[in-house]
Amino acid sequence: MTTKKINLALQGGGAHGAFAWGVLDKILEDGRLEIDGVSGTSAGSMNAGVLAYGYAKGGREGARKALENFWKRISEAGQKFSVTETTPLDHLFAKMGIMSTPSFAMFETISGMMSPYQFNPTNFNPLKEVLEQSIDFDVLKNQDKIKVRICATNVNSGKVRIFKNEEMAIEVLLASGCLPFLFQTVSVGNQHFWDGGYMGNPALFPLIYDTTTSDILIIHINPIHRDEIPTTAGAIRDRVNEISFNSSLMREMRMVAFITKLIDEGWIKDEFKDKLRRMHIHSVRADDVMREFGVPSKLSADWDFLLKLKELGREKATEWLKKNFDKVGKESSVDLAADYL
């Protein structure tokens, strides 16, 4: 079987990260793509860490099992500690497809008036226990099968921070997924971090600099394009969230498109040509479906909802592999100008 190397860039998006779980599950099952490096942010960092750990322990099947166990634990923890689905009325709303539940509205009100230092003074985070059960960080830190790059935002400097394999620790993944209105800052060493989505969602440059593989597959979580103009308060908040958490990716894609243009149009002097590398960009996305889910659903841990997203991810990955596998290693399968500029 012909195999090709590829890098993965995993967006964050809370529970919507189960879509990426489905994409990863299909890629691992298919077996034709060898993962060289993976860059992850927030939920993407959780998927990246679990993927690399499972792969180190048991290859492709080990990675698939590790991801399934992780998302099961997410669901179980969510049933105990969810801030958005705690009443029968909430579940009724969810079954009706109404993701803006009364519980979430109440949570928004509280978090708008109080910081996590006030309403969560002990800094309790159920994700910590889930990660402790899902990853042996000594194994993750020392494995050399997949290059792992995790993105977080330095609260003090406002700069992006990329953590590498040898720095892997539970605090790193928690930092990458630290929503500032929900959790207190996460300390790694003497520095303090918030969610990496503000500075890189996901960050592409570590895959360009730290690997020799020229193909990057971006697994999108947050819809980029919408046809309608948001007019309700909830719709406006959702769209602002989507634009904010796509902005860093859009900037990096413009740079990739600019360098590609320089190469294609022969603007690079011969003595500098070996300094630049043509990148092949690919993407798996389901904007048409994901845009139907509002921000509150990113905090949903309902197992049926997570499985729905997983199956959607598998479906989209299957379509992408069938249509674009032959392009890997040769050319991009996305139109950079049309999709990102």
Side-chain angles (χ1 to χ4, degrees), residues 48-218:
V50 174
L51 165 73
Y53 165 70
Y55 197 95
K57 293 288 289 184
R60 296 179 185 276
E61 289 305 312
R64 293 181 69 195
K65 187 63 176 177
L67 284 164
E68 180 180 12
N69 289 339
F70 169 75
W71 283 100
K72 279 184 177 179
R73 293 182 181 116
I74 286 290
S75 179
E76 291 166 359
Q79 301 310 309
K80 299 177 183 177
F81 307 113
S82 174
V83 298
T84 62
E85 288 188 26
T86 56
T87 71
L89 184 59
D90 294 330
H91 289 290
L92 176 61
F93 272 45
K95 289 180 180 179
M96 294 170 60
I98 302 173
M99 305 311 291
S100 186
T101 67
S103 292
F104 183 77
M106 182 178 296
F107 168 72
E108 275 196 313
T109 300
I110 294 174
S111 62
M113 297 186 299
M114 302 172 64
S115 81
Y117 295 86
Q118 297 170 311
F119 68 76
N120 186 13
T122 62
N123 202 26
F124 172 71
N125 188 343
L127 185 57
K128 182 177 181 180
E129 182 177 349
V130 171
L131 288 172
E132 289 172 342
Q133 295 171 345
S134 302
I135 300 175
D136 182 331
F137 282 89
D138 286 333
V139 173
L140 176 59
K141 181 167 59 176
N142 294 302
Q143 65 84 28
D144 59 1
K145 298 181 182 298
I146 298 176
K147 300 178 184 69
V148 181
R149 301 294 182 263
I150 301 300
C151 177
T153 301
N154 187 303
V155 178
N156 296 108
S157 69
K159 296 180 180 179
V160 64
R161 173 71 156 87
I162 302 298
F163 294 91
K164 299 184 177 183
N165 287 52
E166 60 273 16
E167 300 173 288
M168 288 301 108
I170 193 168
E171 291 81 12
V172 169
L173 297 189
L174 291 175
S176 183
C178 179
L179 294 171
F181 297 106
L182 192 57
F183 302 112
Q184 299 176 23
T185 60
V186 176
S187 299
V188 181
N190 61 353
Q191 297 181 321
H192 305 278
F193 297 94
W194 277 339
D195 194 289
Y198 298 106
M199 298 302 295
N201 193 22
L204 302 185
F205 70 87
L207 299 174
I208 298 174
Y209 295 157
D210 298 345
T211 78
T212 58
T213 298
S214 295
D215 288 78
I216 298 177
L217 174 60
I218 304 169

Side-chain angles (χ1 to χ4, degrees), residues 222-235:
N222 305 288
I224 293 177
H225 178 78
R226 283 186 181 269
D227 292 325
E228 72 281 2
I229 299 298
T231 57
T232 67

Side-chain angles (χ1 to χ4, degrees), residues 231-250:
T231 57
T232 67
I236 292 170
R237 284 194 296 269
D238 287 359
R239 189 57 182 150
V240 168
N241 180 279
E242 290 169 354
I243 292 173
S244 299
F245 280 90
N246 276 318
S247 61
S248 57
L249 174 62
M250 300 294 277

